[in-house]
Amino acid sequence: MNIIEEYEKYIAKIGDRKTLYRLVANRFDVKMALYPGSHIDIGASLVIPNVTYIDNYKGTIQFFKHLIEVRNYINMNKEYPEECTIEFFGLDYNENIKLDKVDMIISQFAGFVGQATKKHLKKGGILLCNDSHGDATLAYLDDDYEFIGVVESNNTIITDELEKYFKFANERQIDRNKVLTKMKGPRYKTQPSNYIFLLKKNI
Ligand SMILES: C[S@@+](CC[C@H](N)C(=O)[O-])C[C@H]1O[C@@H](n2cnc3c(N)ncnc32)[C@H](O)[C@@H]1O
């Protein structure tokens, strides 16, 4: 199997997130993004000209050894006029990696990305995350971030009536320590597929 077949097989399994990435990138004028814990989800590069991927899994490192083929595939299928810029680091995203600050960080099913990598986000930049591992909950409780929206499963961005999110059916406080130890997002009354946060200051 070549790497493009491998990518297409992966997308068939996880679902194509290109619509999600396009929607958020267009809304917030994202030109440069960072995707820690990406595995081989390179769909962001189809709609965002400059994306850096970080993942320390050996299968991912093997995939990105074919960076020329990845770039060729993206250049043939991308939706923006300029050449794509793609970088990959086969490292732990907690490490001190020297990177330019980006407009958006993508966090999907890969731990506490929004906490570990917010130093790479510009002031006013966007964290797009789900709450599978509790990353959205940690951002919600983090004063460095402002909760500004959600993306519903039909790929609509909602920015009003946000008070209803992060609330339990039986009213109680969020237990941050439990999220940190279990690495699982709590079960809230309303659960959108993704959350959007804005970084309020330079870290
Ligand atoms: C469940 S997969 C999700 C992949 C992709 N984000 C998606 O949604 O399709 C989690 C990925 O995060 C990577 N990952 C988890 N913790 C990491 C860390 N500390 N540093 C780098 N990569 C990490 C794993 O290697 C794995 O490829």
Side-chain angles (χ1 to χ4, degrees):
M1 189 162 47
N2 70 35
I3 54 128
I4 301 312
E5 283 167 348
E6 188 183 341
Y7 167 63
E8 284 170 350
K9 200 169 155 213
Y10 186 65
I11 289 307
K13 193 174 84 183
I14 65 158
D16 192 347
R17 305 218 187 97
K18 190 169 74 169
T19 310
L20 167 69
Y21 300 145
R22 184 199 296 117
L23 181 78
V24 179
N26 285 349
R27 176 71 167 261
F28 297 100
D29 197 23
V30 172
K31 301 280 184 256
M32 199 169 165
L34 177 67
Y35 191 168
S38 56
H39 188 40
I40 64 168
D41 179 20
I42 54 170
S45 289
L46 294 169
V47 291
I48 302 169
N50 185 330
V51 185
T52 298
Y53 298 86
I54 307 175
D55 200 299
N56 60 0
Y57 171 57
K58 64 177 187 326
T60 314
I61 294 168
Q62 193 56 38
F63 177 89
F64 277 100
K65 277 189 181 153
H66 303 268
L67 201 50
I68 292 171
E69 280 154 270
V70 171
R71 285 201 185 108
N72 286 344
Y73 173 80
I74 297 296
N75 275 328
M76 280 169 64
N77 293 283
K78 66 188 169 54
E79 297 183 0
Y80 45 85
E82 59 268 59
E83 285 275 301
C84 70
T85 301
I86 300 176
E87 272 203 88
F88 172 72
F89 293 87
L91 298 172
D92 185 326
Y93 60 61
N94 292 294
E95 279 188 37
N96 239 337
I97 306 169
K98 257 206 143 332
L99 295 170
D100 289 338
K101 285 190 185 272
V102 297
D103 306 313
M104 176 165 81
I105 287 177
I106 300 171
S107 166
Q108 300 286 301
F109 307 98
F112 305 138
V113 167
Q115 297 299 301
T117 65
K118 68 180 164 186
K119 58 181 176 287
H120 300 304
L121 192 56
K122 286 178 188 165
K123 179 183 174 193
I126 297 299
L127 169 66
L128 171 69
C129 61
N130 65 24
D131 206 32
S132 170
H133 295 170
D135 203 31
T137 294
L138 293 187
Y140 179 69
L141 298 173
D142 182 345
D143 282 344
D144 293 339
Y145 285 114
E146 181 184 345
F147 175 39
I148 61 164
V150 300
V151 186
E152 294 290 5
S153 46
N154 61 356
N155 281 318
T156 314
I157 295 179
I158 293 170
T159 55
D160 51 10
E161 295 179 15
L162 297 179
E163 325 68 64
K164 71 176 181 215
Y165 299 99
F166 299 104
K167 294 281 185 301
F168 295 107
N170 60 339
E171 262 181 55
R172 64 180 196 277
Q173 297 287 309
I174 300 169
D175 186 341
R176 186 172 184 274
N177 283 334
K178 192 169 165 191
V179 174
L180 288 171
T181 48
K182 299 241 179 237
M183 271 194 117
K184 195 168 167 20
R187 184 178 284 273
Y188 300 113
K189 211 161 42 173
T190 310
Q191 311 235 91
S193 60
N194 273 279
Y195 297 82
I196 302 168
F197 295 89
L198 180 142
L199 190 71
K200 293 195 278 188
K201 58 180 190 194
N202 266 315
I203 305 294

